[in-house]
């Protein structure tokens, strides 16, 4: 290489090196000075990128080596068009840190990642409309994906407030926060206070953390910060004592929780989960939250007089949140769930005479208050239920011990499946489901023209097997008194035996009463190895002489040769296809109907005594009136001596059809099917009538 070429090469290298060094010196000087000349360009760049008006106030200092670090006397960001708020953010004495990697790897729809925000004073306006658009969205184009609220790794605010106006959750809240780092404190204290309205109820809350507000760090080596707080939502009161970590990031929460309130449904409204309307409650337990998952252990749940507990996992990561777990309990009183079925909070409470005071006021037994099916779309669920003791109410002597079932909630359909319950030496099995339908159907104007398509669908499939009536049903006080005064013989119960039944029913309704008005299906009932009060039989046949005599000499129980009923319901009108009680003294037949919707009785009972008595009246007995005020009297008009005989012949075919379904099984008497003898007698009478 020639000397001149070498000189040129050295000059070029020197010039390049000098330039690089000069550039580095310039960058170093600019970095040291804080790039003051970039204040306005950065302001314009951010405004163009975010499509917002942005103002950066001095003193201004920017660092670009190792990440973006900004110090400013103030930062002001406008709210987007269409929002009636002064701005999104107005912050004073701000320090902002961002990592380049967080900017490069961000994907459409992901939240912006901010390493650190520190401010002496901050005012924010967080508003969201029903269409999902919010003041914190920075969309360049209308079709850009909507980003959630930014993830902030570390946030330190000395004094500040945030106004929240969220139409989706019906929230109008004011957050105020402060950090106290005075020299008199051995540890920094931060406080967040909230007050306003949330989901149509007043809300107040306070969270105190022993550290910077709100101690948002994702450093794995950082310890969680001790925290305590309380929240009042309407009449719901919540207390928390534990720790909080990364509140604006992974949101790690762990601690103990107690909650009290007038109804679990109110707590469900606060948390946007599906919970039933109940009596007043108090919950105690522990809670632990990791990203997207809440683990809740309810060590004690007192709901009215009920005593429950359970373990639950609430997963917010699926498109629709999912609740899994086990609900257990020492005792569940059905009356505590009365509000869930539309009854008043004091439903089931009786006055001194034993009557339901609420029912007396309305004149109806079943509530007609709309049920809250709208909560079914809040989540999906899968729970195992295992209750040691289920009290059905004052009408029953014995509780259900235990009660087991699987609860499923999926796509607005609630199912209580695989029900298994034991009571009074018998069992109850089956399934109950309520399909409240998807919300899209409710919002469809074409469907709104037809109310029946909007009403929830009910399906009830239950079976009872060998339930001891004497041990299960409560005996009326009048019966007990009569037994004591007249020293009557036999059981206190009017009817004893093993109850067996099957129910297949469907209906539609937003209330319990509406469901009953629409009920369709069939019910099959029979009693095995039973006995019935002799006095009841004689009174039903109106054998005046014998009935009066029984009150003197004693009421002997009669064996039930056959007690069976098959009923069909159409739009809430229940009619018996077959209803017969047969003893060696009298055969009782029932016909007519029961109007469940109107709660009216229109039944006729016909008695065919098997013994001769000159005082026996063969006129049918009418059972009319309402469920709360029934009336029993003989049918007026001429007495038809052959009414009962003719009615018996009509029962031959229905009884023959259901005999195969009354398989005596292992618990039957030695006589086999309890209605075989009755069927044989009916068939003999039918053949005799045909021969004539």
């Amino acid at each position: 290489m020639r000397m001149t070429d070498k000189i040129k090469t050295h000059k070029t290298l020197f010039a390049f090196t000098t330039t690089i060094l000069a550039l580095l010196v310039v960058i170093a000087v600019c970095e040291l000075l804080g790039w003051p000349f970039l204040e306005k360009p950065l302001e314009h760049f951010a405004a163009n990128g975010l499509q917002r008006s942005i103002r950066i106030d001095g003193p201004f200092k920017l660092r670009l080596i190792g990440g973006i670090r900004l110090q400013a006397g103030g930062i002001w960001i406008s709210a987007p068009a269409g929002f009636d708020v002064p701005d999104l953010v107005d912050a004073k004495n701000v320090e902002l840190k961002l990592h380049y990697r967080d900017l490069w790897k961000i994907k459409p729809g992901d939240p912006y990642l901010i390493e650190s925000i520190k401010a002496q004073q901050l005012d924010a306006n967080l508003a969201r409309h029903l269409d999902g658009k919010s003041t914190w969205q920075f969309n360049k184009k209308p079709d850009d994906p909507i980003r959630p609220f930014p993830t902030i790794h570390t946030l330190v605010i000395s004094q500040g407030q945030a106004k929240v106006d969220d139409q989706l959750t019906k929230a109008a809240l004011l957050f105020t926060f402060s950090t106290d780092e005075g020299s008199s404190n051995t540890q920094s204290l931060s406080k967040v206070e909230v007050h306003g309205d949330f989901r149509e109820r007043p809300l107040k809350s306070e969270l105190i953390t022993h550290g910077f507000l709100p101690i948002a760090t994702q450093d794995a080596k950082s310890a969680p910060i001790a925290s305590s707080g309380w929240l009042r939502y309407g009449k719901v009161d919540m207390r928390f004592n534990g720790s909080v970590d990364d509140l604006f990031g992974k949101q790690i929460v762990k601690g103990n929780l107690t909650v009290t309130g007038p109804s679990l449904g109110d707590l469900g409204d606060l948390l946007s989960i599906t919970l039933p309307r109940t009596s007043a409650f108090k919950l105690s337990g522990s809670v632990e939250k990791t990203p997207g998952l809440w683990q809740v252990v309810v060590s004690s749940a007192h709901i009215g007089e009920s005593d429950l507990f359970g373990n639950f996992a609430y997963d917010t990561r699926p498109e629709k949140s999912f609740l899994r777990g086990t609900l257990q309990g020492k005792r569940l009183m059905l009356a505590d769930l009365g509000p869930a079925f539309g009854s008043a909070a004091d439903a089931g409470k009786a006055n001194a005479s034993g009557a339901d005071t609420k029912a007396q006021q309305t004149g109806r037994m079943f509530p007609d208050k709309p049920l809250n099916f709208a909560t079914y779309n809040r989540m999906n669920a899968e729970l195992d239920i295992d209750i040691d003791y289920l009290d059905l109410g004052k009408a029953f002597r014995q509780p259900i011990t235990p009660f087991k079932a699987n609860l499923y909630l999926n796509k607005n359909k609630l199912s209580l499946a695989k029900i298994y319950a034991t009571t009074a030496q018998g069992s109850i099995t089956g399934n109950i489901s309520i399909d409240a339908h998807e919300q899209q159907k409710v919002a469809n104007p074409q469907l709104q023209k037809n109310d029946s398509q909007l009403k929830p669908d009910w399906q009830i499939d239950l079976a009872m097997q060998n339930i001891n009536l004497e041990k299960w049903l409560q005996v009326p006080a009048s019966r007990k008194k009569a037994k004591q005064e007249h020293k009557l013989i036999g059981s206190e119960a009017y009817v004893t035996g093993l109850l067996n039944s099957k129910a297949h029913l469907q209906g539609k309704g937003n209330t319990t009463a509406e469901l009953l008005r629409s009920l369709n299906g069939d019910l099959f009932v029979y009693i095995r190895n039973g006995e019935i009060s002799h006095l009841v039989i004689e009174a039903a046949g109106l054998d005046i002489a014998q009935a009066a005599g029984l009150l003197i000499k004693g009421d002997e129980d009669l064996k039930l040769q056959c007690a069976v009923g098959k009923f069909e319901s159409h739009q809430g009108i229940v009619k018996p296809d077959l209803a017969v009680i047969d003893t060696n003294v009298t055969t009782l037949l029932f016909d007519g109907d029961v109007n469940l919707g109107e709660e009216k009785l229109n039944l006729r009972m016909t008695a065919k005594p098997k013994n001769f008595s000159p005082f026996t009246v063969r006129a049918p007995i009418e059972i009319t009136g309402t469920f709360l005020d029934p009336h029993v009297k003989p049918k007026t008009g001429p007495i038809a001596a052959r009414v009962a005989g003719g009615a018996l012949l009509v029962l031959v075919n229905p009884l023959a059809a259901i005999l195969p379904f009354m398989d005596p099984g292992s618990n039957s008497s030695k006589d086999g099917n309890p209605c075989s003898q009755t069927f044989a007698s009916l068939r003999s009478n039918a053949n005799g009538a045909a021969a004539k």
Side-chain angles (χ1 to χ4, degrees), residues 418-437:
K418 299 180 182 178
I419 295 173
Y420 177 74
T422 60
T423 183
Q425 301 175 327
S427 64
I428 303 173
T429 58
N431 305 281
I432 301 174
S433 67
I434 307 171
D435 189 351
H437 305 297

Side-chain angles (χ1 to χ4, degrees), residues 380-494:
N380 292 330
E382 188 174 310
L383 299 177
D384 295 327
I385 299 176
D386 190 352
I387 308 297
D388 295 339
Y389 182 106
L390 174 58
D391 191 310
L392 298 177
K394 295 182 179 180
F396 300 89
R397 275 187 174 184
Q398 289 195 4
I400 290 177
T401 54
F403 176 85
K404 299 177 183 289
N406 298 125
L407 185 148
Y408 301 99
L409 179 59
N410 186 33
K411 295 182 179 179
N412 291 55
K413 184 175 181 179
L414 178 69
S415 301
L416 204 59
K418 299 180 182 178
I419 295 173
Y420 177 74
T422 60
T423 183
Q425 301 175 327
S427 64
I428 303 173
T429 58
N431 305 281
I432 301 174
S433 67
I434 307 171
D435 189 351
H437 305 297
E438 294 286 350
Q439 289 299 304
Q440 295 92 314
K441 294 182 179 180
V442 176
N444 190 323
Q446 294 181 345
L447 292 180
Q448 288 179 349
K449 296 178 182 179
N450 187 348
D451 289 340
S452 64
Q453 297 186 47
L454 302 177
K455 295 175 183 177
D457 289 306
W458 297 65
Q459 178 76 36
I460 303 171
D461 294 294
L462 292 175
M464 296 184 180
Q465 185 174 8
N466 296 325
I467 292 180
N468 190 317
L469 287 172
E470 183 178 11
K471 294 183 177 181
W472 195 39
L473 296 179
Q474 199 64 261
V475 177
S478 58
R479 171 68 171 174
K480 293 181 180 180
K481 184 177 180 180
K483 295 288 286 187
Q484 294 172 357
E485 290 180 353
H486 300 288
K487 299 180 180 180
L488 304 180
I489 302 171
S491 170
E492 284 187 343
Y494 283 116

Side-chain angles (χ1 to χ4, degrees), residues 92-262:
K92 306 298 183 183
N93 298 325
V94 180
E95 293 184 22
L96 174 67
K97 292 182 182 180
L98 301 108
H99 288 309
Y100 290 119
R101 64 175 182 270
D102 293 334
L103 299 177
W104 293 334
K105 68 180 182 180
I106 192 169
K107 298 178 181 178
D110 286 350
Y112 291 103
L113 303 178
I114 301 175
E115 176 62 23
S116 172
I117 297 179
K118 295 181 180 180
Q120 185 68 31
Q121 176 72 36
L122 184 143
D123 294 315
N125 292 281
L126 307 177
R128 182 167 59 173
H129 291 166
L130 290 175
D131 59 6
K133 293 181 179 180
S134 65
T135 57
W136 62 83
Q137 293 170 10
F138 300 96
N139 297 326
K140 229 179 148 181
K141 301 177 182 178
D143 57 348
D144 282 348
I146 297 176
R147 297 183 187 274
F149 194 80
T151 297
I152 304 171
H153 291 188
T154 301
L155 178 64
V156 180
I157 308 295
S158 297
Q159 299 290 333
Q161 68 176 22
K163 294 180 180 178
V164 177
D165 183 7
D166 187 1
Q167 295 181 11
L168 285 178
T169 58
K170 298 181 180 179
L173 301 169
L174 176 64
F175 289 73
T176 58
F177 31 85
S178 60
T179 298
D180 185 0
E181 300 178 81
S183 59
S184 61
N185 296 323
T186 57
Q187 195 174 29
S188 299
L189 291 178
S190 297
K191 181 188 294 185
V192 182
E193 295 179 323
V194 185
H195 65 86
D197 293 319
F198 183 69
R199 295 186 177 132
E200 301 179 340
R201 288 189 180 93
L203 182 146
K204 291 184 178 180
S205 180
E206 179 181 86
L207 175 67
I208 298 176
T209 63
H210 295 274
F212 287 134
L213 173 70
I215 310 308
T217 175
Q218 292 184 332
D219 186 349
K221 297 180 181 179
S222 299
I225 303 302
S227 307
S228 61
W230 57 267
L231 181 148
R232 294 191 186 96
Y233 174 67
K235 295 183 179 180
V236 173
D237 186 274
M238 184 181 298
R239 303 280 166 166
F240 172 79
N241 188 22
S243 62
V244 174
D245 184 22
D246 189 19
L247 195 58
F248 278 82
K250 293 183 178 180
Q251 299 176 337
I252 309 299
V253 179
K254 187 175 183 180
N256 296 320
L257 193 68
T258 60
V259 190
T260 61

